[in-house]
């Protein structure tokens, strides 16, 4: 996959949505989708941020966030599903965690790995295969561009719907968990997908 080519946008034959990496100048769409995600009824289980905190951030924050996860960036990538009308309807971000360095949750891995975060698909397009397409694209980027050995994610133990999807897609539980930030009585379960 060529992450620097805008012609790499993908159109699945069974759907009319394009799945691709974002561009730095698309920060307004990235902001709008993130705020929509934070208003979702299960946002408290899926995200470590609140709508109230995010909505108050200045545009400079959203510009930097988009630029840091845009096509051509090697440390992270935001992948989106775009509807025919141009509206962003889903997203996932891949963070690259270096071997021996603290990961997104402060833990240290012995391998270079990807870490999927900020998974969201708008309710009106769920169940149409967009999450699978977002994950497939994200994993391809992780293998081909970032060169990681595995990709992991964490899911709140109370988010059974998300956990079922991750298992169905092929992520396997490691048996490791961490406390949910701000809610030490709940756990985030680690799942991994190893490079084929």
């Amino acid at each position: 996959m060529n992450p620097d080519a805008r012609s790499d946008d993908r159109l699945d034959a069974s759907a009319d949505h394009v799945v691709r990496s974002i561009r730095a100048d698309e920060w307004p769409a990235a902001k709008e989708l993130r705020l929509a995600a934070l208003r979702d009824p299960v946002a408290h289980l899926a995200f470590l941020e609140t709508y109230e905190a995010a909505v108050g951030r200045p545009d400079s924050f959203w510009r930097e966030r988009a630029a840091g996860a845009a096509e051509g960036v090697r440390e992270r990538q935001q992948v989106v599903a775009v509807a025919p009308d141009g509206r962003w309807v889903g997203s996932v971000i891949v963070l690259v965690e270096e071997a021996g360095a603290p990961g997104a949750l402060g833990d240290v891995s012995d391998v270079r790995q990807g870490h999927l975060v900020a998974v969201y698909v708008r309710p009106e397009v769920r169940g149409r295969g967009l999450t699978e397409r977002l994950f497939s694209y994200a994993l391809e980027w992780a293998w081909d561009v970032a060169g990681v050995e595995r990709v992991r994610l964490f899911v709140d133990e109370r988010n059974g719907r998300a956990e079922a999807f991750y298992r169905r897609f092929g992520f396997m539980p490691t048996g490791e968990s961490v406390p949910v930030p701000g809610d030490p009585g709940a756990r985030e379960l680690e799942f991994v997908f190893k490079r084929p």
Side-chain angles (χ1 to χ4, degrees), residues 3-24:
D4 300 314
R6 289 187 182 183
S7 63
D8 193 43
D9 296 352
R10 294 167 185 204
L11 182 61
D12 187 280
S14 65
D16 53 1
H17 290 73
V18 173
V19 175
R20 63 172 176 80
S21 295
I22 70 165
R23 296 182 281 277

Side-chain angles (χ1 to χ4, degrees), residues 175-193:
E176 299 294 323
S177 67
V178 295
V180 173
D183 188 359
R187 307 292 296 174
E188 293 263 355
L189 310 175
E190 183 184 46
F191 283 73
V192 298
F193 195 110

Side-chain angles (χ1 to χ4, degrees), residues 17 33 36-43 46-47 81 89-91 119-132 134 159 161-162 165 168:
H17 290 73
L33 187 62
L38 293 172
R39 287 189 299 264
D40 190 272
V42 295
F47 304 109
V89 295
S91 178
V119 178
Y120 178 70
V121 173
R122 292 184 194 268
E124 66 270 18
V125 294
R126 291 179 186 160
R128 298 184 186 178
L130 287 176
T131 310
E132 289 86 346
L134 285 165
N159 195 346
R161 183 171 172 255
F165 169 79
R168 192 171 60 253

